[in-house]
Every structure is written in structure tokens, then in C-alpha cells.
Amino acid sequence: FMTEPNIAIVIPTYNERDTIGPLVKQIIGLAIPNLSIIIVDDNSPDNTGTVAAELARENYETVHLINRARKMGLGPAYIEGFEYALRHDADLIFEMDADGSHKPEHIPEFLAKIKEFDLVLGSRYIPGGRIENWDPLRRLISRFGNVYARIVLGLPIKDLTSGFKCYRRKVLEAIGLGQLSSVGYVFQIETTFKAVRAGCTVHETPIVFTERKKGASKFNLKIFLESFVKVLLLRLRG
């Protein structure tokens, strides 16, 4: 980048009233030039949208809110946020969770690496990466999901289900946001798979992932089954 890039961070929310404020303040505290934070709220029953609207008012140059009518899933929320970022001339687009599991202090590491690669993803499963406060079953399911996706899709990436990523603009343009069909966490696998298929370079950077302290995890059996089937379909259609 000849000049400072425009950076957008897309954060989907659903019942994150207690965590979205501290997270936004931490990100703003990094003092990153040309930063936009795009919150995509799925009409949270706990009034996260009201909290987010106040954040947008207080930080009107940085924080932007997209209100959606109902809960429509993680994948569609990210797509809407990505499209907003692209329309507003973002050069680098992050995605991260709203629940505090992704630590803003990792963001400068992503920004350093994205100078050399097209997609940088935060990895829990490479040296330096780790998970805090997960029970053994959740660890087992995550490990199995990653190994399964890696084998079926033939990708060397250790943490295909990571939701902490930084894309160059050209990656989102290349993978065709309108053609993405995943709703749950398999969205992370689909986007990385299509980026690799489009010839984009991918780098894993270690992160510490901390299980949410407030609210309930969105992970459930339906999401797990979608991931299982969708990975096979990605390979078959690949």
C-alpha cells in the first residue's frame, strides 16, 4: 500500500450487550489510522442494537451499525458487513467475534503480516496459539472438524474454522460474496477454501482464543451437521 490502507472490522452481534462496548473501546484504543468498525446486529432480544447505536453515535466517524430485521445467521451477517466495507472503499477487511474471545491486541500482528499475504487468519492450532476455558468435548469437536475439513478439502491450513481473519479487498472480490451459501461456522471454511482456489496466499498467525465469559455460545448440533455436509459439498463442487 502506497498510503495508509482503509481498514474495516466487521463484527456480527446477537445478544452481545455486555461485551460489544468494551470490545469497541479496546479496538479504538489501538489508534489504527483509517479505521471503521462495522457492527451487524440481528435484532438481538437483549438490546445489543441499542448499545451499538449509542457506540455509533459516540464514535460516529469510526463505528457504523447495520440493523437486520431478525436472526439470519453468521454467514449472511458477515456478507452484509463485507459488502458495506467494500462499498465504502475498505482495502483490508477483518472479521472477529463480539463476545471477547478474539483479542484486539492481535490486530497489529495481522496488519504486519497482511503486507505479505492476501489472507491472514488467527490460528489456535499452530505454535503460540491456544484456547482458554473450553471443555474437553468442545476441544474434541473443534479438532475433529478442522482435521476433517483439512483432509476432505486438501488444505494445509491448521485452523480452518477460525473466525478471526484479515482479508485484502481482492480476496473478497475474488471469492464472490453473492455465491457463498454457508450460514453457520462453516462459513469460515468456505471463505478460506474459495480464497485458496482463487489463488490467494494464506498465512496463519497464532492467537489466544478465550471462551466467552458472558452470554451463551452459538455452537450447536445443527451448526456441526451443516459443517459436516457442507465440507463434502464444497469438495464435490470444487
Side-chain angles (χ1 to χ4, degrees):
F1 297 99
M2 300 299 289
T3 56
E4 290 284 357
N6 294 324
I7 297 163
I9 300 178
V10 178
I11 307 174
T13 55
Y14 188 76
N15 289 351
E16 325 280 2
R17 183 185 62 200
D18 296 329
T19 53
I20 189 62
L23 176 66
V24 166
K25 287 182 175 68
Q26 278 183 284
I27 295 170
I28 290 174
L30 295 170
I32 298 165
N34 303 343
L35 175 69
S36 297
I37 299 170
I38 302 162
I39 301 169
V40 186
D41 185 64
D42 272 9
N43 198 15
S44 298
D46 75 344
N47 293 323
T48 299
T50 306
V51 176
E54 185 58 34
L55 289 166
R57 271 196 300 276
E58 291 170 4
N59 309 277
Y60 61 90
E61 291 184 340
T62 305
V63 180
H64 310 275
L65 174 61
I66 298 172
N67 276 310
R68 305 203 312 158
R70 57 188 170 83
K71 189 177 184 185
M72 291 182 265
L74 186 72
Y78 270 127
I79 290 168
E80 200 158 330
F82 291 163
E83 288 173 340
Y84 182 96
L86 293 174
R87 282 199 307 274
H88 291 82
D89 301 321
D91 301 302
L92 303 174
I93 300 96
F94 280 82
E95 55 166 90
M96 66 187 296
D97 290 349
D99 59 14
S101 56
H102 295 151
K103 301 185 186 307
E105 60 255 37
H106 289 306
I107 290 172
E109 299 156 22
F110 282 74
L111 291 173
K113 286 295 177 187
I114 201 71
K115 293 173 182 173
E116 306 165 52
F117 299 92
D118 299 321
L119 167 57
V120 176
L121 61 88
S123 181
R124 300 161 290 185
Y125 297 128
I126 61 171
R130 67 179 192 276
I131 297 167
E132 296 177 341
N133 304 332
W134 264 11
D135 62 65
L137 179 62
R138 185 71 194 275
R139 285 176 187 270
L140 186 67
I141 290 170
S142 177
R143 280 281 191 185
F144 170 78
N146 271 292
V147 171
Y148 168 73
R150 202 158 66 232
I151 291 170
V152 172
L153 299 176
L155 295 174
I157 296 154
K158 293 283 195 291
D159 197 350
L160 279 166
T161 58
S162 173
F164 196 177
K165 294 178 176 175
C166 179
Y167 303 85
R168 282 177 178 254
R169 178 187 186 89
K170 70 173 188 179
V171 178
L172 296 182
E173 291 173 339
I175 62 180
L177 294 175
Q179 279 77 57
L180 299 177
S181 57
S182 303
V183 175
Y185 289 100
V186 73
F187 177 81
Q188 311 300 358
I189 302 173
E190 183 178 16
T191 48
T192 301
F193 175 66
K194 291 193 170 176
V196 172
R197 292 304 293 264
C200 301
T201 55
V202 181
H203 176 77
E204 292 185 85
T205 187
I207 60 165
V208 177
F209 178 97
T210 307
E211 176 62 10
R212 61 164 67 227
K213 292 181 174 64
K214 294 182 178 179
S217 172
K218 313 292 191 303
F219 186 83
N220 57 39
L221 183 63
K222 183 181 174 186
I223 286 169
F224 177 72
L225 292 174
E226 185 208 12
S227 302
F228 192 83
V229 173
K230 183 74 188 185
V231 166
L232 279 178
L233 291 174
L234 282 173
R235 180 58 193 256
L236 292 171
R237 293 170 184 162

